[in-house]
């Protein structure tokens, strides 16, 4: 899965916390996150006629606060990391806000998330 929001999040975390480097790799670089990875798993499981495609969605945020809310007390790997973050949470939020702003005023942003989807058939 390629998630621009996830990339921005984990790159920022890795700058502030060396332990986040491992989690960054786990979230963004596993073989199953690459093209052919999910299809390969299905083939290894014995499925035939495996087809893989990419699914992409848009993620719209009104401003940085809208972007931050799911990370602060939400679910998932990023929110879990924020809850247990070893560096000052305010420092991390400030750094992530700078990444979100990217030199522009606060306001709406649209990001894209892509994931691999695969299907296959089983011999009967």
């Amino acid at each position: 899965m390629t998630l621009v929001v996830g990339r921005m999040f984990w790159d920022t975390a890795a700058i502030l916390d060396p332990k986040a480097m491992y989690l960054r790799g786990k979230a963004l670089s596993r073989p199953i996150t690459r093209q052919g990875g999910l299809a390969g798993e299905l083939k290894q499981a014995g499925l035939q006629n495996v087809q893989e495609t990419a699914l992409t969605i848009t993620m719209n945020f009104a401003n940085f606060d809208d972007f931050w809310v799911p990370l602060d007390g939400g679910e998932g790997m990023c929110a879990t990391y924020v809850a247990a973050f070893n560096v000052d949470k305010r420092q991390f939020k400030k750094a992530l806000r700078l990444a979100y702003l990217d030199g522009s005023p606060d306001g709406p942003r649209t990001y894209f998330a892509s994931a691999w989807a695969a299907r296959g058939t089983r011999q009967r």
Side-chain angles (χ1 to χ4, degrees):
M1 179 158 138
T2 304
L3 181 56
V4 173
V5 173
R7 171 71 60 189
M8 183 173 32
F9 177 92
W10 289 114
D11 286 351
T12 302
I15 289 169
L16 297 173
D17 179 9
K19 294 176 187 172
M21 293 289 283
Y22 166 77
L23 295 171
R24 180 181 177 269
K26 187 175 178 182
L28 303 173
S29 301
R30 291 179 297 163
I32 202 164
T33 66
R34 299 183 193 122
Q35 185 174 10
L38 186 56
E41 292 292 320
L42 295 182
K43 289 175 186 175
Q44 274 190 313
L47 274 66
Q48 305 293 316
N49 305 315
V50 174
Q51 299 172 352
E52 184 179 70
T53 190
L55 304 174
T56 301
I57 63 167
T58 57
M59 301 172 67
N60 298 304
F61 300 98
N63 53 35
F64 177 75
D65 287 336
D66 186 35
F67 174 85
W68 177 257
V69 166
L71 301 173
D72 193 16
E75 295 180 13
M77 193 173 183
C78 293
T80 300
Y81 178 78
V82 168
F85 194 51
N86 292 329
V87 178
D88 185 338
K89 189 172 171 180
R90 288 173 293 164
Q91 180 185 5
F92 177 68
K93 184 176 179 180
K94 182 178 177 180
L96 190 58
R97 185 175 192 279
L98 288 173
Y100 176 90
L101 296 178
D102 196 25
S104 299
D106 194 6
R109 301 287 192 280
T110 298
Y111 297 107
F112 300 93
S114 295
W116 293 109
R119 68 180 187 174
T121 56
R122 168 172 66 105
Q123 293 287 46
R124 293 182 183 209

